[in-house]
């Protein structure tokens, strides 16, 4: 019987690895794979295998997509509000679409909500694991 390669074992465990990577660092994933699945990898090899597998999967999905229909992508319109943090008054507002809409003064609740969303996004960026980058 032919000996299986590490990458073939990795391929079979890919779904498990993805689930583990949500909760653990790469170091933790490597330890769990070694203990529970008899797959010995370094974190560098794990990173490489994830990249290779995703690249192969992406090529396969593009190659098997034989649809000739066109897909229309509509740009997302985002409202941007620039705020002076010392006074919380808007100092500039712009829309990323081409239409000219009249200026609407945001309420303090809208500004507070926008600021909380911004702070949460910044906290998420700082706390993301290596897997998400």
């Amino acid at each position: 019987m032919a000996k299986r390669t590490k990458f073939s074992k990795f391929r079979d465990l890919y779904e498990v690895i993805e689930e583990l990577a949500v909760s653990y660092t790469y170091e933790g994933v490597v330890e769990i794979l070694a203990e529970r699945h008899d797959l010995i990898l370094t974190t560098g090899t794990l990173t490489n295998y994830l990249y290779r597998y995703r690249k192969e999967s992406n090529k396969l999905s593009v190659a098997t997509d034989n649809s000739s229909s066109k897909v229309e992508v509509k740009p997302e319109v985002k409202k941007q509000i620039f705020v002076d943090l010392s006074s919380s008054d808007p100092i500039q507002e712009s829309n990323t679409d081409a239409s000219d809409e009249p200026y609407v003064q945001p309420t303090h609740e809208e500004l507070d909500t926008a600021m909380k969303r911004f702070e949460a996004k910044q906290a998420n960026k700082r706390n993301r694991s290596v897997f998400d980058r």
Side-chain angles (χ1 to χ4, degrees):
M1 181 175 188
K3 184 177 177 182
R4 292 183 66 193
T5 64
K6 286 184 181 182
F7 190 70
S8 69
K9 289 180 184 178
F10 170 87
R11 194 179 301 123
D12 291 341
L13 293 169
Y14 179 75
E15 297 296 326
V16 173
I17 293 168
E18 284 285 349
E19 289 178 22
L20 289 172
V22 171
S23 303
Y24 297 95
T25 62
Y26 279 1
E27 290 84 7
V29 172
V30 165
E31 286 180 32
I32 292 169
L33 290 174
E35 292 171 6
R36 297 182 191 164
H37 301 283
D38 196 33
L39 179 59
I40 310 297
L41 302 174
T42 64
T43 54
T45 303
L46 176 64
T47 304
N48 184 315
Y49 282 3
L50 286 167
Y51 174 79
R52 280 177 52 193
Y53 185 86
R54 290 174 184 151
K55 188 175 177 182
E56 287 176 9
S57 295
N58 197 17
K59 283 183 181 178
L60 287 174
S61 67
V62 170
T64 58
D65 183 20
N66 294 326
S67 64
S68 60
S69 61
K70 291 185 178 182
V71 176
E72 182 179 337
V73 178
K74 294 183 179 181
E76 182 180 337
V77 177
K78 292 187 176 184
K79 184 176 186 178
Q80 296 178 337
I81 301 172
F82 299 92
V83 177
D84 179 0
L85 295 177
S86 61
S87 69
S88 74
D89 290 330
I91 55 176
Q92 180 181 359
E93 179 178 329
S94 69
N95 290 325
T96 57
D97 69 340
S99 66
D100 292 324
E101 295 179 5
Y103 174 76
V104 177
Q105 178 82 24
T107 64
H108 284 286
E109 290 82 18
E110 290 173 319
L111 291 173
D112 288 341
T113 302
M115 193 63 184
K116 287 177 185 173
R117 276 195 218 128
F118 172 76
E119 290 169 349
K121 282 183 182 179
Q122 294 300 349
N124 284 340
K125 284 182 182 179
R126 286 190 298 268
N127 295 331
R128 275 195 294 183
S129 70
V130 176
F131 176 75
D132 293 334
R133 291 183 184 169

